[in-house]
């Protein structure tokens, strides 16, 4: 697989290059800013793009705007966005935007090499992969959609794992449930959210989160608020 990287941190950028090449992939380009990335994608046609959220020169939304542009211009191009911590407004824009396979991961996930490489493969294969904390924060904005209040605690947990692109079998194993129970929970989730069901788990999750977010624009993150530290093993 040919992968293009856009990351301003030289340590993380070079680390990603070595990690991906060691895993058998080819890095077609490694950029320190967004300049020239769109042209490189047009010419080289990579199989996946990995982009940082905040890039030079302003370190605000350059990476997000580039990701949205690439998803609009190349709907079939899988895009993986990396972020230092959850930025709900940006996540909402990306999830509800145009495009195909997509991932939004917190940077600490790269520290777990096996998990990260697996996520890269699933995104390239057409899955939607969202960091569990991204999902958790999006789903807890209860004021936006009263329908989310209909979900039980267990259904919220199932939805969060499903949004990672996991199969019903994997969800059952992770949550110590039977596959029949998982199927029942998923059916209930989409009935309560009034969403039509289809055969693609990834599309259903994407549609659910986009639908939740469409009820109202997410508030911009407070620039003065310190990043939250996660205590899970799948961290950023």
């Amino acid at each position: 697989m040919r992968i293009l990287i856009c990351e301003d941190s030289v340590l993380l950028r070079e680390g990603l290059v070595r990690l991906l090449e060691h895993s058998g992939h080819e890095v077609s380009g490694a950029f320190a800013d967004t300049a020239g990335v769109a042209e490189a994608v047009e010419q080289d046609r990579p199989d996946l793009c990995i982009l940082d959220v905040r890039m030079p020169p302003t370190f605000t939304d350059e990476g997000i705007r580039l990701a949205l542009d690439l998803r609009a211009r190349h709907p079939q191009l899988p895009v993986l966005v990396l972020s230092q911590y959850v930025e709900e407004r940006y996540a909402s824009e990306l999830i509800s935007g145009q495009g195909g396979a997509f991932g939004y991961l917190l940077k600490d996930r790269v520290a777990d090499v096996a998990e990260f490489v697996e996520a890269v493969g699933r995104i390239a294969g057409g899955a939607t992969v969202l960091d569990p904390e991204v999902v958790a924060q999006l789903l807890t904005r209860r004021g936006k959609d009263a329908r989310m209040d209909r979900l039980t605690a267990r259904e919220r947990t199932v939805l969060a794992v499903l949004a990672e692109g996991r199969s019903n079998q994997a969800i059952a194993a992770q949550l110590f449930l039977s596959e029949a129970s998982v199927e029942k929970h998923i059916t209930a989730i989409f009935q309560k959210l009034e969403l039509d069901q289809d055969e693609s788990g990834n599309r259903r999750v994407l549609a659910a989160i986009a639908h939740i977010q469409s009820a109202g624009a997410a508030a911009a993150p407070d620039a003065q608020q310190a990043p939250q530290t996660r205590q899970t093993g799948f961290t950023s």
Side-chain angles (χ1 to χ4, degrees), residues 6-211:
C6 185
E7 165 62 55
D8 65 287
S9 167
V10 63
L11 291 178
L12 180 55
R13 186 172 65 252
E14 292 303 316
L16 286 171
V17 170
R18 293 187 181 186
L19 169 60
L20 293 169
E21 289 182 342
H22 180 73
S23 300
H25 303 302
E26 175 188 348
V27 176
S28 63
F31 294 77
D33 56 46
T34 60
V37 173
E39 291 78 5
V41 170
E42 191 70 39
Q43 294 176 6
D44 299 338
R45 298 290 179 172
D47 301 305
L48 172 73
C49 284
I50 300 178
L51 310 170
D52 189 5
V53 166
R54 299 191 174 196
M55 298 290 294
T58 68
F59 295 95
T60 54
D61 62 354
E62 283 87 351
I64 288 295
R65 287 190 284 109
L66 175 60
L68 290 169
D69 180 63
L70 290 178
R71 281 167 62 74
R73 291 189 185 191
H74 307 281
Q76 302 307 314
L77 173 65
V79 174
L80 167 56
V81 173
L82 299 178
S83 180
Q84 188 65 40
Y85 54 97
V86 180
E87 301 184 77
E88 294 181 25
R89 174 168 60 91
Y90 295 151
S92 178
E93 289 181 18
L94 285 164
I95 292 169
S96 60
Q98 302 179 37
F102 169 70
Y104 189 112
L105 305 180
L106 298 183
K107 287 186 177 180
D108 280 356
R109 177 175 279 199
V110 182
D112 190 323
V113 173
E115 291 277 13
F116 179 73
V117 171
E118 180 193 8
V120 167
R122 286 192 284 129
I123 295 166
T128 295
V129 179
L130 303 177
D131 192 284
E133 186 159 330
V134 173
V135 176
Q137 291 203 26
L138 292 178
L139 294 183
T140 52
R141 301 189 67 84
R142 297 186 181 183
K144 295 184 173 186
D145 195 332
R147 283 170 288 193
M148 285 303 298
D149 291 331
R150 302 172 186 173
L151 300 186
T152 65
R154 172 60 75 183
E155 288 165 353
R156 286 173 180 268
T157 301
V158 170
L159 180 55
V161 180
L162 192 153
E164 297 178 50
R166 304 291 182 179
S167 66
N168 286 5
Q169 182 179 11
I171 295 171
Q174 182 169 330
L175 299 181
F176 302 101
L177 298 171
S178 68
E179 288 190 52
S181 293
V182 170
E183 292 176 2
K184 184 182 297 184
H185 285 311
I186 292 174
T187 298
I189 287 167
F190 288 98
Q191 286 177 342
K192 291 178 180 180
L193 293 180
E194 302 173 9
L195 297 170
D196 293 334
Q197 299 186 45
D198 58 45
E199 296 303 318
S200 172
N202 296 312
R203 284 199 296 267
R204 283 185 293 164
V205 173
L206 188 63
I209 296 177
H211 178 73

